[in-house]
Amino acid sequence: GAKVASRIYPKIIYSEDFPSSLLADVEIRSAADGNIISRRITKSSGNPAWDEQALKAVDRMAVMPRDEDGKVPPTYTVGIRPKN
């Protein structure tokens, strides 16, 4: 989880000041080589603008990091919060 978060957070572009209490759960589907095939909100933060920023950050990441065993999980869900 920390590897995924460390790749997503630098990709977030803060177009507005979001409360740190927001949390968007994003499901990421990836190919065996790590390329992201799709992503979707599985639990909305309640703020459509934040949900969209979370999805865009995943898009910018483009490739999922590999696990310790060198594999990429086919489906992964990560919670994304604004960092203040």
Side-chain angles (χ1 to χ4, degrees):
K3 279 185 179 182
V4 175
S6 70
R7 294 240 178 125
I8 290 174
Y9 280 104
K11 307 291 186 196
I12 297 172
I13 297 172
Y14 292 93
S15 58
E16 60 184 270
D17 190 23
F18 295 104
S20 61
S21 61
L22 297 178
L23 175 64
D25 287 342
V26 180
E27 178 187 83
I28 303 168
R29 293 186 181 272
S30 58
D33 64 0
N35 285 316
I36 294 174
I37 299 168
S38 68
R39 83 293 187 268
R40 69 182 179 99
I41 297 288
T42 56
K43 183 178 175 193
S44 173
S45 67
N47 182 314
W50 176 249
D51 292 351
E52 186 62 26
Q53 287 301 323
L55 291 173
K56 287 180 179 180
V58 171
D59 290 344
R60 289 181 195 104
M61 184 174 66
V63 177
M64 286 286 288
R66 296 185 181 278
D67 283 341
E68 293 82 33
D69 62 3
K71 295 182 181 179
V72 176
T75 304
Y76 187 83
T77 300
V78 61
I80 304 174
R81 291 185 182 276
K83 284 192 169 184
N84 290 338

